Amino acid sequence: MTPVRTKTVASPAFASLFEKGRVDFVVADGDGMITYYENPKGDFSSLRKKEAVYNSRLFAGPVCAPTVSCIGDRTYMVVGNMDGMLRLFEKDDAAPGVPWTERKGYMGGIRVEGFSRGFLTVWEGKELLITGQGSGKIRAFLNTGVKGPDWKEQHNFFQGVKV
């Protein structure tokens, strides 16, 4: 088993990028480095580092937090950081080298307070970004755009949810 270690702040997430139904492990560290670990036995007892997934690449800045989600046949990764910035990456298996392509500006206009973590999903047929932020507030943004992203905050989306 490959030990899972980071230099500083560890931000774990789960992903299923290579074998449908198998849950693997993604860890970001305080420098913005993201590492992928395969979970071949399915019980997290024999994690194997898979270097080629991120190629020791820095993504979204200091203390980043990745989440991976599948929408239809596409795989996305939302990466937030301690500055409140969120960035979207799409997995492209045909791409040489690093299979992640940033969709620059896709989350433009979304800014959260302090540390951010986001998760992309679909709600009522539209993309929905759920974010957590350093203040403890959870927010939801709906992409109402037709020809491009147009994110509108859903102010009462989590009404009644106590954090």
Side-chain angles (χ1 to χ4, degrees):
M1 177 171 148
T2 303
V4 178
R5 291 190 180 98
T6 63
K7 293 179 191 175
T8 58
V9 179
S11 179
F14 296 104
S16 185
L17 300 181
F18 298 101
E19 190 175 303
K20 201 161 187 85
R22 183 184 74 202
V23 178
D24 294 331
F25 200 50
V26 178
V27 180
D29 72 12
D31 293 332
M33 180 88 59
I34 300 176
T35 307
Y36 194 91
Y37 296 88
E38 289 184 306
N39 181 20
K41 291 185 180 177
D43 62 3
F44 296 97
S45 67
S46 60
L47 295 174
R48 286 192 314 239
K49 192 178 208 179
K50 190 161 175 119
E51 297 285 346
V53 178
Y54 300 110
N55 281 352
S56 299
R57 187 171 152 199
L58 297 177
F59 273 93
V63 191
C64 68
T67 61
V68 179
S69 59
C70 295
I71 298 175
D73 62 349
R74 296 181 179 220
T75 302
Y76 298 99
M77 178 171 57
V78 175
V79 183
N81 69 21
M82 68 185 274
D83 298 329
M85 299 293 294
L86 293 153
R87 293 166 62 187
L88 181 68
F89 295 84
E90 186 173 350
K91 187 169 186 269
D92 179 2
D93 291 323
V98 178
W100 295 97
T101 303
E102 183 175 3
R103 293 179 70 179
K104 290 188 184 291
Y106 196 79
M107 300 208 165
I110 298 175
R111 181 84 178 168
V112 300
E113 301 163 15
F115 177 78
S116 63
R117 184 172 188 140
F119 183 81
L120 190 64
T121 189
V122 172
W123 184 67
E124 295 186 347
K126 296 183 180 181
E127 291 175 320
L128 178 72
L129 176 70
I130 298 171
T131 66
Q133 58 189 44
S135 66
K137 192 186 288 183
I138 298 174
R139 296 165 68 188
F141 297 86
L142 191 65
N143 183 356
T144 60
V146 177
K147 294 186 178 187
D150 186 14
W151 298 97
K152 302 289 183 209
E153 185 167 3
Q154 306 301 294
H155 292 283
N156 296 318
F157 196 83
F158 292 107
Q159 185 175 354
V161 175
K162 305 255 186 246
V163 178

